[in-house]
Structures are given as C-alpha cells and as structure tokens.
C-alpha cells in the first residue's frame, strides 16, 4: 500500500465511515458493557511511544506518529492506525492543531485488524499529562 499522507487520510476516512455504518446497523444487536457513553470524535491525533525513560513531551520526534480518532468517552478513545501497535502505554495529543493541546497518558487495551492493513484500537485514558 502506498503510504502517502493523502492516500492514508483518504483510506482512514473511508474505513471510519465503514465502521460507523456497521456500528449503526448493529446497534441493539450486541449488549454493550461500556462504563461511559461514546461520542463521535473525528480528528487526527499525535501519538508518542511512552517509554519508562522519558517524560511527557520529551520523546524524540521519530517516535511520534499520526492516528485517526473515531470516538471518545470520559474513559477512553478509539482510533485507527495503518500499522500494528503493541498493547501498552502511549502519550496521546487529542487535538494537535489547537493551542490548548490536550495530552493524556493512555493504555491500549484492545485492537483488531479492520481493513486495508488498518487496525482499530481502544485506549483507556489513564491521566492527563502536562507538557
């Protein structure tokens, strides 16, 4: 797959739309055990690999990447990425294009391969991070 930013954006949006249509169609057919309601939240987010030796905002540039968010709740965020990510802790910037950036330490708790080598992730928001 050509990984040009424009093509990745286009593909991610198509997959998000497909997942939303599927969720709408299946609403009521599956019992949901969610602690908090989800709301649609479509934007690009910046993610840094959180390792034990760096603090929030100190990660090297080459450890950051862009993901596409799908939904948000008080307890977590759902997003797409075009590669597999290990379960674990990551630093997320929910709104990288805004001045008052919202940073959170989050832990990926679920993943599934969805379409065209994209993966959908569920991350639990652990704590707000100050940069």
């Amino acid at each position: 797959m050509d990984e040009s930013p424009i093509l990745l954006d286009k593909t991610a949006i198509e997959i998000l739309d497909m997942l939303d249509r599927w969720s709408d169609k299946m609403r009521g057919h599956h019992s949901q055990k969610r602690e908090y309601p989800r709301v649609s939240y479509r934007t690009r987010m910046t993610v840094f690999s959180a390792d034990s030796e760096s603090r929030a905002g100190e990660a090297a540039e080459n450890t950051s990447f862009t993901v596409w968010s799908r939904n948000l709740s008080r307890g977590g965020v759902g997003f797409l990425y075009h590669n597999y990510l290990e379960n674990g802790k990551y630093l997320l910037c929910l709104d990288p294009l805004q001045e008052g950036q919202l940073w959170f330490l989050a832990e990926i708790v679920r993943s599934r391969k969805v379409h065209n080598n994209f993966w959908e992730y569920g991350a639990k928001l652990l704590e707000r991070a100050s940069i």
Side-chain angles (χ1 to χ4, degrees), residues 80-100:
L80 290 180
Y81 185 53
H82 65 280
N83 286 315
Y84 176 75
L85 297 173
E86 294 288 329
N87 283 3
K89 293 182 182 176
Y90 294 84
L91 187 63
L92 305 177
C93 182
L94 297 183
D95 58 350
L97 300 178
Q98 304 298 317
E99 277 187 42

Side-chain angles (χ1 to χ4, degrees), residues 1 4 8-9 31 53 91 98-99 113-114 123 126 131:
M1 169 185 230
S4 74
L8 285 174
D9 262 349
S31 61
E53 296 175 18
L91 187 63
Q98 304 298 317
E99 277 187 42
K113 191 171 186 178
V114 288
L126 301 174
I131 303 300

Side-chain angles (χ1 to χ4, degrees), residues 9-24 39-45 67-72 77-80 94-98 120:
D9 262 349
K10 182 179 185 288
T11 304
I13 290 166
E14 289 171 357
I15 293 169
L16 288 167
D17 289 343
M18 178 185 68
L19 291 171
D20 287 347
R21 283 190 305 273
W22 185 82
S23 290
D24 288 344
V39 295
S40 180
Y41 183 70
R42 294 266 194 109
T43 189
R44 283 190 224 125
M45 298 187 312
V67 300
W68 294 265
S69 64
R70 180 174 180 214
N71 50 45
L72 183 67
V77 63
F79 63 89
L80 290 180
L94 297 183
D95 58 350
L97 300 178
Q98 304 298 317
E120 181 184 29

